[in-house]
Amino acid sequence: MADPTATAPLSRTADTSAVQIYLRELHDRITAAVEALDTAKFQRDCWQRPEGGGGESRVLTDGEVFERAGVSFSHVHGLQMPQSASNLRPEIAGAAFEAMGISLVFHPRNPYAPTTHCNVRFLVAAPQSAPAVWWFGGGFDLTPYYPFDEDVLHWHRTARAACQPFGAGVYERYKQWCDRYFFLPHRNETRGVGGLFFDDLNEGGFAHCFGLTRSVGDHFLPAYMPIVERRRSRPWGERERNFQLYRRGRYVEFNLLYDRGTLFGLQSRGRTESILMSMPPLARWEYDWRPDAGSPEARLYEDFLRPRDYLAELDANT
Amino acid sequence: MADPTATAPLSRTADTSAVQIYLRELHDRITAAVEALDTAKFQRDCWQRPEGGGGESRVLTDGEVFERAGVSFSHVHGLQMPQSASNLRPEIAGAAFEAMGISLVFHPRNPYAPTTHCNVRFLVAAPQSAPAVWWFGGGFDLTPYYPFDEDVLHWHRTARAACQPFGAGVYERYKQWCDRYFFLPHRNETRGVGGLFFDDLNEGGFAHCFGLTRSVGDHFLPAYMPIVERRRSRPWGERERNFQLYRRGRYVEFNLLYDRGTLFGLQSRGRTESILMSMPPLARWEYDWRPDAGSPEARLYEDFLRPRDYLAELDANT
C-alpha cells in the first residue's frame, strides 16, 4: 500500500538535500571509526558517471584489522531506471531516476571476525505518465566464519534497537526480509546470520521513513565495532584462514548472482571498481568440500546458515 | 531461418543416443589425456537430479600441471525449460526439455599456461502446442594471463581446422560469436583471446549439425594440449602468480554474471558443485589495480583483451 503523499511532486514531499547531507555525514563517521581502529588509511576516489552524477569511494587495503574495507557514497541520476531497481515496481520501468546511498563491505583479516555489509539508499523515479515516487531502502547484515553466540546476540539486539522507535513488528519484518534476501538458493544457505533488510519504504510519510533509515544507518557502527574489537586479536592459523577464504567464495557467489545493488550498479553503468570493491581480496573454491562432523566449521553450517530467531533463542532478557 | 526437419518429431530426425555415446566417449578421451599429462587423478562423482536425469563430474585437484581441472558430463530432462536457455527462443519458454553435454574448465598452476573452457551440448524442447525442436551448441575459448603469439595462433588455426569441412565462413562466424559472448561489458574486456562459440545450431540437418559439433569437440585436445605442454615448466614467481590470481577474478565475474551455461545449470537446479567446479581454486580482487605501462601485464590488456583477427594479423601462411 503506497503512501499517497509519496506520489506527490518530489519538491513538496521529500527533502533530497537533507538525505544527501545525512549520507555524507554517515560516510565520514564510518570512515573515521575504521581509521581510528586500524593501521591503514582509506584511499579516496571521486568519480563522475558520464550519464549523470557520481560518487566517492573510500577503500582501505591491508590494514592490521581489515584486509579490505570499502565505503562508497554515490548519487547518480539518469533517464532510464535500470531493470534491477524496478522489478518490484513495473510502473516505473524505464523512468527517469535519481538514486543516492552509501554502501559498505568490510573484510577483516582475522577469521574469527565476521565480514559485514551495510547499505542505506534513497531513490526517486519520475515516470513520464505518472507522478514521481520516492522510497528508502537499506539494512545491515553479518557474515561470520566462526560465529560466537554473544556476537550474534549483540548484533540482533542492536538491530532491534534501531527499529524499536518506529513501531511494533518493524525489527521482526526487516529481520525476516533480510533472511529471505541474503539467501543462496543454489546452496540452500543464508549468507550469514542476517540482520535487517528493507526496500520500497514510503509508508508513513517522508519524515518517518527518513527517520527509520537514519536510525538503521546510525546503528551500524554500534552493532559491528564491538564485535570486531573483541575478535581482532584472537589467535588463528592456516585452518581458520582456509575456511575463511572458502566461505568468502560464497560472498562472491551471492554478490554476483543475486545482489540487486551490485546488479543495479553494473546495469546502470556505475563505476565498476566502486561496485566490486565488495569483492573479498582473496577467495577460494574447493570442489565438494564438507566440514568434518562436530568441527567448528560444521557448527557454522548446522547452527547458523538458516533463518533463526536469535533473540528468542539466545537472549535470556528478551 | 530454422531447418524444417528440425521441428519434426525427434525420433525421426535426431539420434539422441548417438549424441550421448559421442559425449561419453569424449568425456573419457579428455579425462585420459589430462591424467596422462598430470600427476593427480580425477575424482569421479555420479549424481542424479531429483527432477530428472543426472551426470558424472570428474575433478582433478592439486596436480603438478593443473591446480584444478573439471570435466562434467550431464544429461538432464524436465518439464520446464529454464529461462536462461530460452532467451533466444521465446516459443519454447516453459517447454519440456532434454539437455546433454560435456563442459570443462582447466585452471593450470603455471601463470604462463592459459585457462581454458570447452563445451558441447545438445538440447531438445517439446512445447505443448508446437512440434519438438532440437539444436546443438558449443565451442572452446582460451584465457591466457601472459599470452604468446604462437599459442594464440595455434589455438585459432586449430579452431579454423575444426570448422573448415563445414562450409565457408563458419570459423569466422563462430569466432566472432565467441568474441561477443565471452565479453565483460562492465570491464569492457573480452574474457581472453576467444576461439569458437555457437548456439541454436539446427540448419542443414541433424547429420551436418552433429558432425560440426563433433568436430569442435574433437579439436579441443589438439588445440589446448600443445600449449599447456609448452608452458607447464616455464619458471614463474610471485609477481606472475599474483597477476594470475587477479585475472582469475575476471573469470569468476564472467561465469557468475553472464555465463548462460552456469545460470542454466543453477536455474534448472543442477548439481551446484558440478556447475561451480568452473570456479578457480583461488582468486584475488584488488581495488582499482592497473598494470604498469610497458609491463608484460599491460601487454595482455593492450594487445589481447579485445576482438582481433589473429589469423590475419599473426599468420604469415594464411
Side-chain angles (χ1 to χ4, degrees):
Chain A
M1 215 156 30
D3 179 341
T5 64
T7 59
L10 186 68
S11 55
R12 291 220 319 269
T13 56
D15 185 351
T16 53
S17 68
V19 180
Q20 186 172 269
I21 288 165
Y22 169 71
L23 292 172
R24 291 257 186 210
E25 185 277 317
L26 182 63
H27 197 202
D28 288 341
R29 201 187 331 154
I30 291 171
T31 310
V34 169
E35 287 189 340
L37 181 74
D38 209 345
T39 49
K41 297 288 169 209
F42 281 95
Q43 171 185 342
R44 287 149 200 253
D45 288 325
C46 292
W47 51 272
Q48 302 234 301
R49 183 170 161 276
E51 294 81 3
E56 185 187 341
S57 299
R58 299 180 183 169
V59 184
L60 176 153
T61 306
D62 278 337
E64 199 178 286
V65 179
F66 293 107
E67 216 172 317
R68 172 172 307 154
V71 202
S72 244
F73 166 81
S74 66
H75 183 184
V76 303
H77 51 90
L79 294 174
Q80 188 117 34
M81 175 73 88
Q83 192 204 326
S84 51
S86 56
N87 280 343
L88 295 176
R89 295 173 168 264
E91 73 280 10
I92 58 156
F97 73 98
E98 188 174 343
M100 60 180 85
I102 74 154
S103 185
L104 68 84
V105 174
F106 295 167
H107 291 287
R109 189 175 297 282
N110 192 313
Y112 290 106
T115 287
T116 193
H117 159 255
C118 172
N119 168 245
V120 287
R121 58 190 179 276
F122 175 63
L123 284 96
V124 185
Q128 284 212 304
S129 52
V133 289
W134 57 260
W135 70 96
F136 288 91
F140 48 66
D141 66 286
L142 194 72
T143 308
Y145 305 93
Y146 294 93
F148 295 84
D149 284 1
E150 64 171 313
D151 294 351
V152 178
L153 195 51
H154 168 77
W155 181 257
H156 278 281
R157 274 184 187 149
T158 314
R160 184 177 53 189
C163 302
Q164 196 272 328
F166 298 90
V170 173
Y171 162 74
E172 289 74 12
R173 202 158 72 241
Y174 292 173
K175 189 266 180 203
Q176 285 164 23
W177 201 342
C178 189
D179 287 337
R180 285 195 307 274
Y181 183 81
F182 291 105
F183 181 76
L184 291 82
H186 67 289
R187 301 287 193 180
N188 196 27
E189 291 170 11
T190 56
R191 182 163 86 170
V193 299
L196 300 172
F197 182 91
F198 64 98
D199 201 358
D200 284 299
L201 175 68
N202 70 357
E203 281 178 69
F206 178 80
H208 171 83
C209 296
F210 184 26
L212 172 45
T213 304
R214 225 165 32 217
S215 183
V216 169
D218 291 345
H219 279 76
F220 168 72
L221 286 173
Y224 183 67
M225 295 310 254
I227 296 175
V228 74
E229 281 172 30
R230 270 203 292 271
R231 308 302 165 200
R232 57 177 288 189
S233 303
R234 190 183 167 93
W236 53 273
E238 197 183 346
R239 172 189 179 137
E240 291 78 18
R241 175 65 169 171
N242 273 337
F243 187 59
Q244 178 197 47
L245 297 186
Y246 176 77
R247 292 296 313 172
R248 281 180 179 171
R250 299 288 210 274
Y251 215 84
V252 171
E253 290 174 22
F254 182 85
N255 285 10
L256 298 181
L257 286 170
Y258 305 115
D259 185 57
R260 280 220 295 275
T262 303
L263 301 177
F264 174 90
L266 296 175
Q267 284 174 13
S268 63
R269 303 194 75 73
R271 182 172 178 261
T272 295
E273 288 295 334
S274 298
I275 299 160
L276 295 184
M277 76 188 191
S278 64
M279 293 291 107
L282 199 62
R284 216 165 62 79
W285 279 266
E286 189 167 333
Y287 173 71
D288 209 21
W289 182 83
R290 284 160 225 216
D292 291 335
S295 66
E297 292 79 16
R299 184 170 173 264
L300 174 71
Y301 289 77
E302 286 159 19
D303 293 351
F304 292 92
L305 298 181
R306 56 185 166 83
R308 275 180 62 189
D309 185 350
Y310 291 107
L311 293 185
E313 293 175 37
L314 301 179
D315 192 347
N317 307 316
T318 296
Chain B
M1 220 160 24
D3 179 339
T5 64
T7 57
L10 185 69
S11 54
R12 292 220 318 271
T13 55
D15 186 351
T16 54
S17 68
V19 180
Q20 185 171 283
I21 289 164
Y22 169 71
L23 291 172
R24 290 261 187 205
E25 184 277 317
L26 182 63
H27 197 202
D28 288 341
R29 201 187 331 157
I30 290 170
T31 310
V34 169
E35 287 190 339
L37 182 74
D38 209 345
T39 49
K41 297 291 169 207
F42 281 95
Q43 170 185 342
R44 289 149 199 252
D45 288 325
C46 293
W47 51 273
Q48 303 236 298
R49 183 170 159 277
E51 295 83 1
E56 186 187 339
S57 298
R58 298 179 185 170
V59 184
L60 177 153
T61 306
D62 279 337
E64 198 178 288
V65 179
F66 294 107
E67 216 171 319
R68 173 173 305 153
V71 201
S72 244
F73 167 81
S74 66
H75 183 182
V76 303
H77 51 91
L79 294 174
Q80 189 119 32
M81 175 74 89
Q83 191 203 329
S84 51
S86 57
N87 280 343
L88 295 176
R89 296 173 167 265
E91 73 280 11
I92 57 158
F97 73 99
E98 190 174 342
M100 61 180 85
I102 74 154
S103 185
L104 68 85
V105 173
F106 295 167
H107 291 287
R109 188 175 299 281
N110 192 313
Y112 290 107
T115 286
T116 193
H117 159 254
C118 171
N119 168 245
V120 287
R121 59 190 178 275
F122 176 63
L123 284 96
V124 184
Q128 284 212 305
S129 51
V133 290
W134 57 260
W135 70 95
F136 288 92
F140 48 67
D141 66 288
L142 194 72
T143 308
Y145 305 94
Y146 293 95
F148 295 84
D149 285 359
E150 64 171 314
D151 294 350
V152 178
L153 196 51
H154 167 77
W155 180 257
H156 277 281
R157 275 184 187 150
T158 314
R160 183 177 55 188
C163 302
Q164 197 273 328
F166 299 89
V170 173
Y171 163 73
E172 288 74 12
R173 202 158 71 240
Y174 293 172
K175 189 265 182 205
Q176 285 164 23
W177 201 342
C178 189
D179 287 337
R180 286 195 306 275
Y181 183 81
F182 291 105
F183 182 76
L184 290 80
H186 66 290
R187 301 286 192 180
N188 195 28
E189 293 170 9
T190 56
R191 181 164 86 169
V193 299
L196 301 171
F197 182 91
F198 64 99
D199 200 358
D200 283 300
L201 174 68
N202 70 359
E203 281 179 67
F206 178 80
H208 171 82
C209 297
F210 184 25
L212 172 44
T213 303
R214 226 164 31 216
S215 183
V216 170
D218 292 344
H219 279 77
F220 168 72
L221 286 172
Y224 184 68
M225 294 310 255
I227 297 174
V228 73
E229 281 171 29
R230 271 204 292 272
R231 307 303 164 200
R232 57 177 288 188
S233 303
R234 190 182 169 93
W236 52 274
E238 197 183 347
R239 171 189 180 137
E240 291 79 17
R241 175 66 170 172
N242 272 338
F243 186 58
Q244 177 196 48
L245 297 186
Y246 176 75
R247 292 295 312 171
R248 281 181 180 172
R250 299 289 211 274
Y251 215 84
V252 171
E253 290 174 22
F254 182 85
N255 285 8
L256 298 181
L257 285 170
Y258 305 116
D259 185 57
R260 280 218 297 273
T262 303
L263 302 177
F264 173 90
L266 296 176
Q267 284 174 12
S268 63
R269 306 194 72 74
R271 182 173 177 260
T272 295
E273 289 294 335
S274 299
I275 299 160
L276 295 184
M277 77 189 190
S278 64
M279 294 292 107
L282 198 63
R284 216 165 63 78
W285 279 265
E286 189 167 332
Y287 173 72
D288 209 21
W289 183 84
R290 284 159 226 217
D292 291 336
S295 66
E297 292 78 16
R299 185 170 173 263
L300 174 71
Y301 289 76
E302 286 159 18
D303 293 351
F304 292 92
L305 298 182
R306 55 184 167 83
R308 275 180 62 189
D309 185 351
Y310 291 107
L311 292 185
E313 292 176 38
L314 301 179
D315 192 347
N317 306 315
T318 296

